[in-house]
Amino acid sequence: MEYIDLTHKIKIELSEYPGDPKTKLNYFKKADETDSSTLLKLETGLHTGTHMDSPFHYIINGKKISQLPLKNFIGKASINYVESKSKEILVKNCNLKNSKEKIAIIITGWSKYFGSDKYFYENPYLSDELTELIIEKNFKGIAIDTCSVDKYGKDTNHKKLLENNVWIVENITNCDNLNKTSYSSFFIPLNIEAEASPVRAFLKKD
């Protein structure tokens, strides 16, 4: 069985959203002649790298990652390559109106800028109409190869999607060579009582 990994590697140099904590991955203890075990310590923001947002991110009494059903993280995903001169991703740019899948993957090509200021400040984002369509069609979740479903400094799309229990995965990568309209997808977060979680995101080559 072959899989396509859509996940950024967690490492010291991992770029964070402006204002978020920096990622630190250091040795807590190195193996040596007297002790054969190695321990590393990870410090990072939960919205750094490939991650999932749960309703609790913006909704006071919303569900945390640990409260979301496991079954919602796995399923057939619609692949949508976006070609638009505008940063705003419109309904007509995607193939979601007649989609039978309940997970949407939106690929803009923006991941090539990952690590630069441009990636975080000038990202493509969902239009209001597309956000409403995702909610109307009862999608379980959406994954995108940008830092946010919103324009920098805004949060309207986040709030709308999370209020309707649509999970959001941001910062996926390695999407250039997907050649089908749908894949079996897996977006697996930690079982963590928090508003977000690092995710291992991958597709199965059927």
Side-chain angles (χ1 to χ4, degrees):
M1 193 72 67
E2 291 188 63
Y3 295 91
I4 303 166
D5 197 343
L6 307 182
T7 315
H8 282 284
K9 184 185 297 183
I10 296 177
K11 55 185 180 179
I12 295 174
E13 300 87 0
L14 190 64
S15 297
E16 75 281 352
Y17 195 84
D20 280 11
K22 290 192 175 297
T23 296
K24 300 177 183 179
L25 182 60
N26 300 310
Y27 281 98
F28 180 74
K29 180 170 69 72
K30 284 188 178 182
D32 56 30
E33 294 179 356
T34 61
D35 190 337
S36 60
S37 66
T38 294
L39 294 175
L40 279 83
K41 179 181 179 181
L42 173 66
E43 295 181 44
T44 190
L46 294 178
H47 300 268
T48 298
T50 310
H51 69 277
M52 178 182 290
D53 293 343
S54 78
F56 190 56
H57 183 29
Y58 278 103
I59 313 306
I60 293 176
N61 295 315
K63 291 183 178 179
K64 299 176 182 178
I65 291 288
S66 58
Q67 296 172 312
L68 300 179
L70 272 173
K71 64 181 181 180
N72 284 6
F73 306 144
I74 299 170
K76 281 285 187 181
S78 168
I79 306 297
N80 299 267
Y81 280 100
V82 174
E83 295 183 6
S84 175
K85 295 180 181 179
S86 168
K87 287 293 192 326
E88 190 174 33
I89 304 170
L90 307 175
V91 169
K92 67 180 182 180
N93 300 137
C94 302
N95 300 309
L96 298 181
K97 276 191 173 182
N98 299 312
S99 175
K100 295 179 180 179
E101 293 79 17
K102 291 303 177 184
I103 295 173
I105 297 177
I106 296 180
I107 303 167
T108 67
W110 200 248
S111 62
K112 65 185 176 185
Y113 298 113
F114 187 77
S116 69
D117 287 344
K118 180 176 183 176
Y119 180 81
F120 294 106
Y121 290 106
E122 301 176 33
N123 64 289
Y125 55 92
L126 305 187
S127 67
D128 291 342
E129 184 185 11
L130 182 55
T131 299
E132 294 293 345
L133 178 65
I134 290 168
I135 294 168
E136 178 187 325
K137 299 288 288 185
N138 294 315
F139 276 85
K140 297 185 292 186
I142 174 176
I144 192 167
D145 63 345
T146 73
C147 62
S148 179
V149 292
D150 280 293
K151 185 178 182 179
Y152 179 74
K154 304 294 183 180
D155 56 21
T156 304
N157 294 330
H158 271 90
K159 289 180 177 178
K160 285 182 180 179
L161 292 170
L162 296 175
E163 282 174 351
N164 287 276
N165 291 309
V166 181
W167 53 254
I168 302 166
V169 167
E170 294 160 332
N171 299 325
I172 61 172
T173 189
N174 195 32
C175 300
D176 294 340
N177 297 317
L178 303 183
N179 54 16
K180 300 195 305 180
T181 57
S182 69
Y183 284 86
S184 295
S185 68
F186 305 80
F187 295 91
I188 312 300
L190 300 174
N191 187 13
I192 184 171
E193 288 190 353
E195 86 292 350
S197 170
V199 160
R200 192 61 183 263
F202 57 98
L203 307 175
K204 184 170 70 173
K205 288 185 177 180
D206 293 320

Short mmCIF file of all heavy atoms in Angstrom, two decimals, residues 20-71:
data_model
loop_
_atom_site.label_atom_id
_atom_site.label_comp_id
_atom_site.label_asym_id
_atom_site.label_seq_id
_atom_site.Cartn_x
_atom_site.Cartn_y
_atom_site.Cartn_z
N ASP A 20 2.87 33.69 16.87
CA ASP A 20 2.77 32.40 17.54
C ASP A 20 4.12 32.01 18.14
O ASP A 20 5.16 32.54 17.75
CB ASP A 20 2.30 31.32 16.55
CG ASP A 20 0.82 31.35 16.32
OD1 ASP A 20 0.17 32.33 16.76
OD2 ASP A 20 0.28 30.41 15.69
N PRO A 21 4.12 31.05 19.10
CA PRO A 21 5.38 30.62 19.70
C PRO A 21 6.30 29.97 18.67
O PRO A 21 5.83 29.30 17.74
CB PRO A 21 4.93 29.58 20.74
CG PRO A 21 3.48 29.83 20.95
CD PRO A 21 2.95 30.37 19.67
N LYS A 22 7.60 30.14 18.86
CA LYS A 22 8.56 29.49 17.99
C LYS A 22 8.70 28.02 18.38
O LYS A 22 8.49 27.65 19.54
CB LYS A 22 9.92 30.19 18.08
CG LYS A 22 9.92 31.58 17.43
CD LYS A 22 11.32 32.11 17.28
CE LYS A 22 11.30 33.43 16.52
NZ LYS A 22 10.80 33.29 15.14
N THR A 23 9.04 27.20 17.42
CA THR A 23 9.22 25.78 17.67
C THR A 23 10.63 25.50 18.16
O THR A 23 11.61 25.95 17.56
CB THR A 23 8.94 24.96 16.39
OG1 THR A 23 7.56 25.12 16.04
CG2 THR A 23 9.23 23.49 16.61
N LYS A 24 10.72 24.77 19.27
CA LYS A 24 12.01 24.36 19.83
C LYS A 24 12.02 22.84 19.99
O LYS A 24 11.12 22.28 20.62
CB LYS A 24 12.24 25.03 21.19
CG LYS A 24 12.26 26.55 21.14
CD LYS A 24 12.43 27.14 22.53
CE LYS A 24 12.38 28.66 22.49
NZ LYS A 24 12.51 29.24 23.86
N LEU A 25 12.97 22.20 19.40
CA LEU A 25 13.13 20.75 19.52
C LEU A 25 14.57 20.48 19.92
O LEU A 25 15.48 20.56 19.10
CB LEU A 25 12.79 20.07 18.18
CG LEU A 25 12.85 18.54 18.13
CD1 LEU A 25 11.87 17.93 19.13
CD2 LEU A 25 12.56 18.03 16.73
N ASN A 26 14.76 20.21 21.20
CA ASN A 26 16.11 20.11 21.74
C ASN A 26 16.28 18.82 22.54
O ASN A 26 15.31 18.22 23.00
CB ASN A 26 16.40 21.30 22.67
CG ASN A 26 16.30 22.62 21.95
OD1 ASN A 26 16.88 22.80 20.89
ND2 ASN A 26 15.53 23.55 22.52
N TYR A 27 17.54 18.44 22.71
CA TYR A 27 17.84 17.29 23.55
C TYR A 27 17.58 17.62 25.01
O TYR A 27 18.08 18.62 25.53
CB TYR A 27 19.30 16.87 23.39
CG TYR A 27 19.58 16.08 22.14
CD1 TYR A 27 20.10 16.71 21.01
CD2 TYR A 27 19.33 14.71 22.09
CE1 TYR A 27 20.35 15.99 19.85
CE2 TYR A 27 19.57 13.99 20.94
CZ TYR A 27 20.10 14.63 19.82
OH TYR A 27 20.34 13.91 18.68
N PHE A 28 16.78 16.80 25.66
CA PHE A 28 16.63 16.87 27.11
C PHE A 28 17.72 16.01 27.75
O PHE A 28 18.26 16.33 28.80
CB PHE A 28 15.24 16.38 27.50
CG PHE A 28 14.96 16.41 28.97
CD1 PHE A 28 14.72 17.62 29.61
CD2 PHE A 28 14.95 15.25 29.73
CE1 PHE A 28 14.47 17.67 30.97
CE2 PHE A 28 14.70 15.27 31.08
CZ PHE A 28 14.46 16.49 31.71
N LYS A 29 18.01 14.90 27.05
CA LYS A 29 19.05 13.99 27.52
C LYS A 29 19.58 13.20 26.34
O LYS A 29 18.81 12.65 25.57
CB LYS A 29 18.50 13.04 28.58
CG LYS A 29 19.51 12.06 29.14
CD LYS A 29 18.96 11.32 30.34
CE LYS A 29 17.84 10.36 29.95
NZ LYS A 29 18.39 9.19 29.24
N LYS A 30 20.90 13.17 26.17
CA LYS A 30 21.52 12.39 25.10
C LYS A 30 22.03 11.07 25.63
O LYS A 30 22.52 10.98 26.75
CB LYS A 30 22.69 13.16 24.48
CG LYS A 30 22.31 14.29 23.56
CD LYS A 30 23.55 14.85 22.87
CE LYS A 30 23.19 15.96 21.90
NZ LYS A 30 24.39 16.47 21.19
N ALA A 31 21.94 10.06 24.79
CA ALA A 31 22.51 8.77 25.15
C ALA A 31 24.03 8.91 25.25
O ALA A 31 24.66 9.63 24.47
CB ALA A 31 22.14 7.73 24.10
N ASP A 32 24.59 8.23 26.22
CA ASP A 32 26.05 8.23 26.36
C ASP A 32 26.50 6.87 26.89
O ASP A 32 25.73 5.91 26.91
CB ASP A 32 26.52 9.36 27.26
CG ASP A 32 25.85 9.33 28.64
OD1 ASP A 32 25.50 8.22 29.11
OD2 ASP A 32 25.66 10.40 29.24
N GLU A 33 27.71 6.78 27.32
CA GLU A 33 28.26 5.50 27.76
C GLU A 33 27.59 4.99 29.02
O GLU A 33 27.59 3.78 29.29
CB GLU A 33 29.77 5.64 27.99
CG GLU A 33 30.56 5.93 26.72
CD GLU A 33 32.04 6.08 26.99
OE1 GLU A 33 32.43 6.04 28.18
OE2 GLU A 33 32.80 6.24 26.01
N THR A 34 27.01 5.88 29.80
CA THR A 34 26.39 5.46 31.07
C THR A 34 24.87 5.30 30.97
O THR A 34 24.26 4.71 31.85
CB THR A 34 26.71 6.49 32.17
OG1 THR A 34 26.17 7.76 31.79
CG2 THR A 34 28.21 6.60 32.38
N ASP A 35 24.27 5.85 29.92
CA ASP A 35 22.80 5.79 29.76
C ASP A 35 22.49 5.65 28.28
O ASP A 35 22.85 6.51 27.48
CB ASP A 35 22.16 7.05 30.33
CG ASP A 35 20.64 6.95 30.41
OD1 ASP A 35 20.05 6.13 29.67
OD2 ASP A 35 20.04 7.68 31.21
N SER A 36 21.79 4.58 27.92
CA SER A 36 21.56 4.29 26.50
C SER A 36 20.34 4.98 25.92
O SER A 36 20.05 4.86 24.73
CB SER A 36 21.41 2.78 26.29
OG SER A 36 20.31 2.30 27.05
N SER A 37 19.60 5.73 26.74
CA SER A 37 18.37 6.35 26.25
C SER A 37 18.57 7.81 25.87
O SER A 37 19.38 8.52 26.45
CB SER A 37 17.26 6.25 27.30
OG SER A 37 17.57 7.02 28.44
N THR A 38 17.79 8.23 24.85
CA THR A 38 17.78 9.62 24.40
C THR A 38 16.38 10.19 24.58
O THR A 38 15.39 9.54 24.24
CB THR A 38 18.19 9.72 22.92
OG1 THR A 38 19.56 9.33 22.78
CG2 THR A 38 18.01 11.13 22.39
N LEU A 39 16.30 11.41 25.10
CA LEU A 39 15.02 12.09 25.25
C LEU A 39 15.12 13.48 24.64
O LEU A 39 16.10 14.20 24.87
CB LEU A 39 14.64 12.23 26.73
CG LEU A 39 14.34 10.96 27.52
CD1 LEU A 39 14.10 11.29 28.98
CD2 LEU A 39 13.13 10.24 26.95
N LEU A 40 14.13 13.86 23.83
CA LEU A 40 14.06 15.21 23.28
C LEU A 40 12.85 15.94 23.84
O LEU A 40 11.85 15.31 24.22
CB LEU A 40 13.99 15.19 21.75
CG LEU A 40 15.33 15.01 21.03
CD1 LEU A 40 15.70 13.54 20.96
CD2 LEU A 40 15.29 15.62 19.65
N LYS A 41 12.93 17.25 23.88
CA LYS A 41 11.85 18.08 24.39
C LYS A 41 11.33 18.96 23.27
O LYS A 41 12.11 19.62 22.58
CB LYS A 41 12.36 18.96 25.54
CG LYS A 41 11.31 19.88 26.14
CD LYS A 41 11.92 20.72 27.25
CE LYS A 41 10.90 21.67 27.85
NZ LYS A 41 11.50 22.51 28.93
N LEU A 42 10.00 18.96 23.08
CA LEU A 42 9.37 19.76 22.03
C LEU A 42 8.55 20.88 22.64
O LEU A 42 7.73 20.65 23.51
CB LEU A 42 8.45 18.87 21.17
CG LEU A 42 7.57 19.60 20.13
CD1 LEU A 42 8.44 20.25 19.06
CD2 LEU A 42 6.58 18.62 19.50
N GLU A 43 8.79 22.10 22.16
CA GLU A 43 7.95 23.25 22.49
C GLU A 43 7.48 23.85 21.17
O GLU A 43 8.28 24.16 20.30
CB GLU A 43 8.73 24.30 23.27
CG GLU A 43 9.20 23.84 24.64
CD GLU A 43 9.95 24.94 25.37
OE1 GLU A 43 9.49 26.10 25.34
OE2 GLU A 43 11.01 24.64 25.95
N THR A 44 6.18 24.02 21.03
CA THR A 44 5.65 24.57 19.78
C THR A 44 4.24 25.09 19.98
O THR A 44 3.55 24.70 20.94
CB THR A 44 5.66 23.51 18.66
OG1 THR A 44 5.36 24.13 17.40
CG2 THR A 44 4.66 22.40 18.93
N GLY A 45 3.81 25.96 19.11
CA GLY A 45 2.41 26.37 19.12
C GLY A 45 1.57 25.32 18.41
O GLY A 45 2.04 24.66 17.47
N LEU A 46 0.34 25.16 18.81
CA LEU A 46 -0.51 24.12 18.23
C LEU A 46 -1.01 24.48 16.84
O LEU A 46 -1.63 23.65 16.17
CB LEU A 46 -1.69 23.83 19.17
CG LEU A 46 -1.32 23.21 20.51
CD1 LEU A 46 -2.58 23.01 21.36
CD2 LEU A 46 -0.60 21.88 20.32
N HIS A 47 -0.74 25.71 16.39
CA HIS A 47 -1.16 26.13 15.06
C HIS A 47 0.03 26.26 14.11
O HIS A 47 -0.06 26.88 13.06
CB HIS A 47 -1.92 27.46 15.14
CG HIS A 47 -3.15 27.39 15.98
ND1 HIS A 47 -4.40 27.10 15.46
CD2 HIS A 47 -3.32 27.52 17.31
CE1 HIS A 47 -5.28 27.07 16.44
NE2 HIS A 47 -4.65 27.33 17.58
N THR A 48 1.14 25.65 14.48
CA THR A 48 2.35 25.69 13.66
C THR A 48 2.44 24.43 12.81
O THR A 48 2.10 23.34 13.26
CB THR A 48 3.60 25.80 14.56
OG1 THR A 48 3.52 27.03 15.29
CG2 THR A 48 4.88 25.79 13.74
N GLY A 49 2.89 24.59 11.58
CA GLY A 49 2.99 23.44 10.68
C GLY A 49 1.61 22.92 10.30
O GLY A 49 0.60 23.63 10.37
N THR A 50 1.55 21.68 9.87
CA THR A 50 0.28 21.07 9.47
C THR A 50 -0.53 20.77 10.73
O THR A 50 -0.12 19.97 11.56
CB THR A 50 0.54 19.78 8.67
OG1 THR A 50 1.49 20.06 7.64
CG2 THR A 50 -0.74 19.26 8.05
N HIS A 51 -1.67 21.41 10.86
CA HIS A 51 -2.43 21.30 12.10
C HIS A 51 -3.93 21.37 11.83
O HIS A 51 -4.37 21.79 10.77
CB HIS A 51 -2.05 22.43 13.07
CG HIS A 51 -2.50 23.78 12.59
ND1 HIS A 51 -1.78 24.53 11.69
CD2 HIS A 51 -3.62 24.52 12.87
CE1 HIS A 51 -2.41 25.66 11.45
NE2 HIS A 51 -3.55 25.68 12.14
N MET A 52 -4.69 20.97 12.83
CA MET A 52 -6.16 21.00 12.76
C MET A 52 -6.71 21.97 13.80
O MET A 52 -6.28 21.97 14.95
CB MET A 52 -6.74 19.61 13.01
CG MET A 52 -8.28 19.56 13.00
SD MET A 52 -8.94 17.90 13.34
CE MET A 52 -8.48 17.03 11.84
N ASP A 53 -7.68 22.80 13.38
CA ASP A 53 -8.43 23.67 14.29
C ASP A 53 -9.75 23.00 14.63
O ASP A 53 -10.45 22.48 13.75
CB ASP A 53 -8.74 25.02 13.63
CG ASP A 53 -7.51 25.85 13.36
OD1 ASP A 53 -6.45 25.55 13.95
OD2 ASP A 53 -7.59 26.80 12.57
N SER A 54 -10.12 23.04 15.90
CA SER A 54 -11.43 22.56 16.34
C SER A 54 -12.30 23.75 16.70
O SER A 54 -11.81 24.88 16.83
CB SER A 54 -11.29 21.64 17.55
OG SER A 54 -11.07 22.41 18.73
N PRO A 55 -13.61 23.56 16.91
CA PRO A 55 -14.50 24.67 17.25
C PRO A 55 -14.05 25.49 18.45
O PRO A 55 -14.26 26.71 18.49
CB PRO A 55 -15.84 23.97 17.52
CG PRO A 55 -15.80 22.79 16.60
CD PRO A 55 -14.37 22.31 16.65
N PHE A 56 -13.39 24.86 19.43
CA PHE A 56 -12.96 25.57 20.63
C PHE A 56 -11.96 26.70 20.34
O PHE A 56 -11.76 27.58 21.17
CB PHE A 56 -12.35 24.57 21.63
CG PHE A 56 -12.08 25.14 23.00
CD1 PHE A 56 -13.10 25.72 23.73
CD2 PHE A 56 -10.80 25.07 23.56
CE1 PHE A 56 -12.84 26.25 24.99
CE2 PHE A 56 -10.54 25.60 24.81
CZ PHE A 56 -11.57 26.18 25.54
N HIS A 57 -11.38 26.68 19.16
CA HIS A 57 -10.43 27.73 18.76
C HIS A 57 -11.11 29.11 18.78
O HIS A 57 -10.49 30.11 19.15
CB HIS A 57 -9.89 27.42 17.36
CG HIS A 57 -8.86 28.35 16.85
ND1 HIS A 57 -7.99 29.04 17.67
CD2 HIS A 57 -8.54 28.74 15.58
CE1 HIS A 57 -7.19 29.79 16.95
NE2 HIS A 57 -7.51 29.65 15.68
N TYR A 58 -12.38 29.15 18.39
CA TYR A 58 -13.11 30.43 18.35
C TYR A 58 -14.44 30.40 19.10
O TYR A 58 -15.00 31.46 19.36
CB TYR A 58 -13.37 30.84 16.90
CG TYR A 58 -12.20 31.51 16.25
CD1 TYR A 58 -11.39 30.83 15.34
CD2 TYR A 58 -11.87 32.83 16.54
CE1 TYR A 58 -10.31 31.44 14.74
CE2 TYR A 58 -10.78 33.45 15.93
CZ TYR A 58 -10.01 32.75 15.04
OH TYR A 58 -8.92 33.35 14.45
N ILE A 59 -14.94 29.22 19.40
CA ILE A 59 -16.25 29.11 20.05
C ILE A 59 -16.04 28.76 21.52
O ILE A 59 -15.46 27.71 21.83
CB ILE A 59 -17.11 28.02 19.37
CG1 ILE A 59 -17.07 28.17 17.84
CG2 ILE A 59 -18.54 28.08 19.90
CD1 ILE A 59 -17.46 29.53 17.31
N ILE A 60 -16.49 29.60 22.44
CA ILE A 60 -16.21 29.44 23.87
C ILE A 60 -16.56 28.05 24.37
O ILE A 60 -15.78 27.40 25.07
CB ILE A 60 -16.96 30.52 24.69
CG1 ILE A 60 -16.38 31.90 24.39
CG2 ILE A 60 -16.84 30.22 26.19
CD1 ILE A 60 -17.10 33.05 25.08
N ASN A 61 -17.74 27.56 24.02
CA ASN A 61 -18.16 26.22 24.47
C ASN A 61 -18.06 25.18 23.35
O ASN A 61 -18.69 24.12 23.42
CB ASN A 61 -19.61 26.29 24.99
CG ASN A 61 -19.74 27.15 26.24
OD1 ASN A 61 -18.94 27.05 27.16
ND2 ASN A 61 -20.74 28.02 26.25
N GLY A 62 -17.26 25.49 22.34
CA GLY A 62 -17.09 24.57 21.23
C GLY A 62 -16.29 23.33 21.60
O GLY A 62 -15.60 23.30 22.63
N LYS A 63 -16.37 22.34 20.75
CA LYS A 63 -15.67 21.08 21.01
C LYS A 63 -14.16 21.25 20.85
O LYS A 63 -13.69 21.94 19.96
CB LYS A 63 -16.17 20.00 20.06
CG LYS A 63 -17.60 19.55 20.33
CD LYS A 63 -18.02 18.43 19.39
CE LYS A 63 -19.44 17.97 19.70
NZ LYS A 63 -19.88 16.90 18.80
N LYS A 64 -13.43 20.57 21.74
CA LYS A 64 -11.99 20.51 21.63
C LYS A 64 -11.61 19.35 20.69
O LYS A 64 -12.45 18.53 20.33
CB LYS A 64 -11.36 20.29 23.01
CG LYS A 64 -11.68 21.43 23.98
CD LYS A 64 -11.13 21.14 25.36
CE LYS A 64 -11.50 22.27 26.33
NZ LYS A 64 -11.02 22.00 27.71
N ILE A 65 -10.35 19.29 20.31
CA ILE A 65 -9.89 18.24 19.40
C ILE A 65 -10.27 16.86 19.93
O ILE A 65 -10.75 16.00 19.20
CB ILE A 65 -8.37 18.33 19.20
CG1 ILE A 65 -8.00 19.59 18.40
CG2 ILE A 65 -7.84 17.08 18.50
CD1 ILE A 65 -8.36 19.56 16.94
N SER A 66 -10.07 16.63 21.22
CA SER A 66 -10.34 15.32 21.82
C SER A 66 -11.81 14.95 21.80
O SER A 66 -12.16 13.78 22.02
CB SER A 66 -9.82 15.29 23.26
OG SER A 66 -10.45 16.31 24.03
N GLN A 67 -12.69 15.91 21.55
CA GLN A 67 -14.13 15.65 21.54
C GLN A 67 -14.69 15.43 20.13
O GLN A 67 -15.86 15.13 19.99
CB GLN A 67 -14.86 16.82 22.20
CG GLN A 67 -14.52 17.00 23.68
CD GLN A 67 -15.10 18.27 24.27
OE1 GLN A 67 -14.98 19.35 23.68
NE2 GLN A 67 -15.73 18.16 25.43
N LEU A 68 -13.86 15.58 19.12
CA LEU A 68 -14.31 15.36 17.75
C LEU A 68 -14.30 13.87 17.43
O LEU A 68 -13.39 13.15 17.85
CB LEU A 68 -13.41 16.12 16.77
CG LEU A 68 -13.33 17.64 16.94
CD1 LEU A 68 -12.39 18.24 15.90
CD2 LEU A 68 -14.71 18.27 16.83
N PRO A 69 -15.30 13.37 16.69
CA PRO A 69 -15.37 11.94 16.38
C PRO A 69 -14.23 11.49 15.47
O PRO A 69 -13.93 12.15 14.46
CB PRO A 69 -16.72 11.80 15.65
CG PRO A 69 -17.49 13.05 15.97
CD PRO A 69 -16.47 14.12 16.17
N LEU A 70 -13.59 10.38 15.81
CA LEU A 70 -12.51 9.84 14.99
C LEU A 70 -12.94 9.61 13.55
O LEU A 70 -12.17 9.83 12.62
CB LEU A 70 -12.02 8.51 15.60
CG LEU A 70 -10.93 8.58 16.66
CD1 LEU A 70 -10.71 7.20 17.25
CD2 LEU A 70 -9.64 9.14 16.09
N LYS A 71 -14.18 9.18 13.38
CA LYS A 71 -14.66 8.85 12.04
C LYS A 71 -14.66 10.06 11.11
O LYS A 71 -14.64 9.91 9.89
CB LYS A 71 -16.07 8.24 12.11
CG LYS A 71 -17.13 9.19 12.64
CD LYS A 71 -18.50 8.51 12.71
CE LYS A 71 -19.56 9.48 13.22
NZ LYS A 71 -20.90 8.83 13.31
#
